[in-house]
């Protein structure tokens, strides 16, 4: 009998693996609707949906492995990273989906959220004031006009699977929708700045590196408290706090 592996679990949702099946438990059915819709529209490999019985979505496991994880070493050849970049470019060039995604929040909404979060980080002593202020300034570059693209919205390195130098699939589409393409590129390379050039070689388009760095700072500032409150460790080597320190 296959063992049950808890992949991730917190108060909002949980993902379990039983053999070759992932069971995603999410009480927010709108989020599950968005995920299933995005996978049906995305022009890249995605997991096969096996069945859906709210609040559970069952999808098939993907072959291959990820290119690493946040806080750990990056793996895979330069060609594999380039293949990931090419897959991301295909997604960004696809016809726009109907929904606004996580990467599509307005500059005004993001700035207001970021300002409030920075105040809390300093007031609670979670991060030093100078670290927060420096990264808040770096984040300003993300607040600019952008052309909407089909974005994944949570394109962490652990969400893209490769086998050899080929992408076998991309998972976790609940935040997908219209948004800023550079948000995806920054999320994928968070904590792995040394592989950005390989990724962009496959992506095949010039990007503003200051905006990528801005998203690294912005994303990290926004999630540090949430991660700590939900049982994750943003202070672990190579994780979000180290990303923020690298901007000093």
């Amino acid at each position: 009998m296959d063992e049950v592996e808890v992949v991730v679990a917190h108060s909002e949702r949980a993902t379990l693996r039983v053999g070759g099946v992932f069971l995603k438990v999410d009480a927010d059915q709108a989020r599950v609707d968005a995920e299933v819709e995005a996978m049906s529209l995305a022009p890249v490999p995605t997991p096969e949906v096996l069945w859906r019985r709210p609040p559970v979505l069952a999808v098939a496991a993907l072959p291959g492995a990820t290119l690493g994880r946040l806080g750990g070493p990056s793996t895979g050849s330069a060609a594999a990273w380039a293949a990931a970049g090419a897959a991301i470019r295909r997604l960004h060039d696809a016809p726009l989906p109907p929904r606004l995604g996580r990467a599509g929040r307005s500059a005004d909404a993001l700035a207001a959220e970021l300002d409030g979060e920075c105040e809390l980080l300093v007031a609670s002593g979670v991060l030093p004031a100078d670290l927060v202020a420096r990264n808040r300034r770096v984040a300003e570059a993300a607040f600019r006009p952008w052309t909407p693209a089909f974005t994944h919205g949570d394109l962490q390195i652990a969400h893209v699977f490769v086998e050899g130098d080929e992408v076998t699939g991309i998972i976790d589409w609940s935040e997908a929708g219209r948004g800023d393409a550079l948000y995806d590129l920054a999320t994928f390379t968070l904590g792995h700045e040394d592989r950005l050039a390989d990724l962009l070689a496959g992506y095949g388009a010039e990007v503003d590196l200051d905006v990528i760095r801005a998203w690294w700072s912005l994303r990290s500032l926004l999630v540090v408290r949430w991660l700590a409150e939900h049982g994750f460790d943003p202070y672990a080597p190579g994780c979000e706090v180290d990303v923020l320190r690298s901007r000093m």
Side-chain angles (χ1 to χ4, degrees):
M1 182 175 180
D2 291 318
E3 294 184 352
V4 176
E5 174 191 356
V6 179
V7 178
V8 63
H10 49 76
S11 60
E12 294 182 5
R13 49 190 143 171
T15 300
L16 312 175
R17 179 170 186 169
V18 185
V21 178
F22 283 93
L23 303 174
K24 305 187 71 173
V25 184
D26 194 330
D28 186 343
Q29 289 307 292
R31 190 157 51 201
V32 179
D33 290 342
E35 176 158 13
V36 172
E37 178 184 59
M39 287 194 293
S40 72
L41 297 173
V44 295
T46 61
E48 177 189 0
V49 175
L50 300 175
W51 49 264
R52 180 181 178 187
R53 297 170 193 161
V56 182
L57 173 68
V59 298
L62 292 169
T66 67
L67 289 173
R69 61 178 178 82
L70 183 62
S74 60
T75 58
S77 64
W81 278 83
I88 296 168
R89 180 65 184 275
R90 287 197 301 276
L91 175 67
H92 291 167
D93 286 345
L96 293 176
R99 300 174 188 263
L100 190 68
R102 179 75 174 170
R105 290 166 291 170
S106 71
D108 288 343
L110 274 170
E113 181 182 0
L114 183 59
D115 286 342
E117 189 63 27
C118 288
E119 290 180 9
L120 288 171
L121 287 168
V122 174
S124 60
V126 172
L127 292 176
D130 60 339
L131 183 66
V132 172
R134 169 57 182 161
N135 280 276
R136 176 62 182 82
R137 290 193 296 272
V138 172
E140 288 283 344
F143 304 143
R144 87 285 177 218
W146 43 266
T147 301
F150 190 153
T151 55
H152 181 279
D154 190 23
L155 198 64
Q156 301 176 45
I157 190 173
H159 291 166
V160 178
F161 284 73
V162 299
E163 192 168 49
D165 295 335
E166 300 291 332
V167 173
T168 59
I170 301 176
I171 65 172
D172 287 356
W173 292 82
S174 60
E175 307 289 353
R178 302 188 307 276
D180 180 0
L182 298 196
Y183 179 89
D184 275 353
L185 296 176
T187 302
F188 192 73
T189 53
L190 185 74
H192 295 286
E193 299 182 29
D194 58 320
R195 306 310 295 264
L196 178 59
D198 294 332
L199 186 79
L200 294 181
Y203 191 73
E206 291 187 10
V207 304
D208 189 331
L209 297 183
D210 285 339
V211 175
I212 297 288
R213 297 184 187 102
W215 277 122
W216 286 335
S217 290
L218 201 161
R219 179 180 171 89
S220 297
L221 286 169
L222 288 181
V223 301
V224 165
R225 281 195 320 115
W226 185 95
L227 291 169
E229 291 170 0
H230 287 79
F232 302 99
D233 186 6
Y235 300 91
C239 291
E240 285 81 3
V241 174
D242 273 356
V243 171
L244 296 171
R245 289 171 177 152
S246 69
R247 304 275 73 82
M248 299 297 284

